[in-house]
Amino acid sequence: MGPENEVILSIRNLTVHYYGLRGAVKAVDNVSFDVMRNEVLGIVGESGSGKSTLALAILRLLPPNSRIVSGSILYNGVDLTRLNEKEMREIRWSKISLVPQAALNALNPTMSIREHFIETARAHGIRDKSLVIEKSKELLELLRLEPRRVLSSYPHELSGGMKQRVLIALSLLLDPELLILDEPTTALDVLTQRAILDLLKDIKSKLNITMIFITHDIAVIADLADRVAVMYAGKVFEVGDVYTIFKSPYNPYTKALIRSIPSITGRVEEMKPIPGSPPDLVRPPSGCRFHPRCEERVEICSKKEPPYIMVRPGHYVLCWLYKLGG
């Protein structure tokens, strides 16, 4: 098996709950998928579908009121759910790195960008400042920033797009194998979004890094991802290559998500919002979680959870229609 088919991350039957006064929020429920080395896997879905929880679970950075209830997260064969905090600290940033959601507020306003790089390296046992600064200059140049100016700046002196690129550079400081980007373009204008996506493609080609790109905007990853996992209400509803997902989706939710996107070539009448609202994950609906909003539902959809069906090699769908021969 060649390196392009090598599994770097394998998630199996992962379930994560948040605990509050109303009960357990089933934020990620029995999720399974693989991430291949050197690919970009896009994870898309509406807000509240469990995408960010999944990212935090991989790095074991979940808040105190949450817990991994069951399942495994295998990174190069090592189950991250079984590691202690010291062992996880050795993996975070040096093996798996994260650009968090709301990243524009992630920089410390009292520290210069130079100090951010130095402190990040020091936290992982690297104390040679000259080596760190040299590496930070290389990364900032890769991200098309002027190192001399940026390193001496404080966060408030940088634009939103510049701060986003600084955070990506910080995430690459220790040469991780896997980079997780959680909504990295959400707070940016359209032109800056385009620039960030072009930079990520450039980084991918130059560093041969594996990426998980999380977004609620399925159009953003159309020309970035190799494969796409579509999440809804804590579950993965469809996984497949990006071309098939966009051109011939199988799951009714994936179809509805794509129909809801404005098209510059299609007619306005063809755009159709998804009716209803996402379910309450404290008390999710019985059967398929999408069935109250689904136009293709059949009787069994409201009674039993659908199975995962392989509709073509490497393409999986959570839907009764294909089990029933639809």
Side-chain angles (χ1 to χ4, degrees):
M1 180 178 292
E4 70 277 5
N5 295 318
E6 180 185 350
V7 176
I8 187 173
L9 187 75
S10 181
I11 294 176
R12 288 292 176 270
N13 308 115
L14 183 67
T15 298
V16 180
H17 289 177
Y18 291 97
Y19 297 94
L21 295 176
R22 295 180 58 237
V25 177
K26 303 167 183 64
V28 172
D29 191 9
N30 199 30
V31 163
S32 298
F33 62 87
D34 292 330
V35 182
M36 306 299 176
R37 189 175 299 278
N38 297 337
E39 79 166 346
V40 178
L41 175 70
I43 300 181
V44 298
E46 293 172 274
S47 297
S49 61
K51 306 182 301 296
S52 295
T53 298
L54 183 60
L56 294 175
I58 292 171
L59 282 162
R60 299 268 305 280
L61 291 173
L62 290 164
N65 68 327
S66 62
R67 183 164 64 92
I68 295 176
V69 176
S70 60
S72 61
I73 305 169
L74 298 175
Y75 167 69
N76 286 332
V78 177
D79 190 351
L80 302 184
T81 66
R82 298 182 177 274
L83 300 185
N84 59 38
E85 181 58 23
K86 181 177 181 296
E87 292 168 329
M88 277 304 304
R89 281 181 63 86
E90 294 175 357
I91 287 177
R92 294 187 195 117
W93 225 265
S94 60
K95 301 295 182 183
I96 306 175
S97 195
L98 171 70
V99 177
Q101 194 170 18
L104 298 186
N105 299 318
L107 296 171
N108 187 330
T110 67
M111 293 170 58
S112 69
I113 302 304
R114 180 188 303 272
E115 291 173 305
H116 278 84
F117 279 97
I118 291 171
E119 288 303 313
T120 298
R122 182 180 294 159
H124 292 83
I126 302 172
R127 302 191 179 278
D128 187 335
K129 291 184 181 180
S130 61
L131 185 66
V132 173
I133 294 304
E134 192 61 36
K135 181 64 179 292
S136 66
K137 288 179 179 178
E138 292 176 7
L139 290 170
L140 291 172
E141 286 177 352
L142 178 64
L143 285 153
R144 299 172 198 169
L145 291 172
E146 203 285 297
R148 188 174 180 181
R149 177 201 163 189
V150 171
L151 286 172
S152 61
S153 299
Y154 284 80
H156 72 273
E157 297 177 297
L158 304 178
S159 68
M162 293 172 75
K163 284 189 279 191
Q164 185 68 68
R165 284 181 275 172
V166 165
L167 282 162
I168 294 171
L170 276 167
S171 71
L172 297 171
L173 182 61
L174 302 183
D175 299 315
E177 289 187 303
L178 175 60
L179 178 61
I180 303 173
L181 302 113
D182 189 3
E183 303 274 12
T185 60
T186 297
L188 305 175
D189 62 82
V190 174
L191 291 176
T192 307
Q193 282 186 21
R194 180 72 263 167
I196 294 294
L197 292 175
D198 288 341
L199 284 169
L200 290 174
K201 286 193 284 186
D202 194 35
I203 289 169
K204 171 69 172 58
S205 65
K206 290 180 178 178
L207 301 182
N208 287 324
I209 193 171
T210 305
M211 295 183 189
I212 297 176
F213 190 98
I214 295 171
T215 180
H216 66 274
D217 186 351
I218 194 170
V220 166
I221 61 166
D223 64 345
L224 178 68
D226 300 300
R227 290 190 306 129
V228 181
V230 181
M231 287 193 72
Y232 178 77
K235 289 183 174 291
V236 171
F237 269 47
E238 186 166 2
V239 180
D241 69 87
V242 67
Y243 181 84
T244 303
I245 290 288
F246 277 89
K247 295 297 182 182
S248 305
Y250 287 84
N251 192 281
Y253 174 65
T254 309
K255 296 175 186 177
L257 196 63
I258 292 172
R259 282 200 304 268
S260 68
I261 302 170
S263 171
I264 60 173
T265 58
R267 294 178 301 174
V268 175
E269 309 87 69
E270 294 174 350
M271 188 181 73
K272 186 178 180 182
I274 304 174
S277 302
D280 179 358
L281 293 184
V282 175
R283 297 176 182 83
S286 60
C288 174
R289 292 187 178 180
F290 186 58
H291 88 262
R293 308 171 72 187
C294 182
E295 297 179 349
E296 300 181 51
R297 63 182 178 269
V298 293
E299 185 178 357
I300 195 173
C301 296
S302 62
K303 297 178 179 178
K304 294 179 66 177
E305 286 196 18
Y308 278 106
I309 305 295
M310 187 172 74
V311 290
R312 54 187 295 174
H315 197 119
Y316 296 86
V317 179
L318 186 74
C319 187
W320 276 114
L321 295 178
Y322 302 97
K323 181 69 173 180
L324 301 173

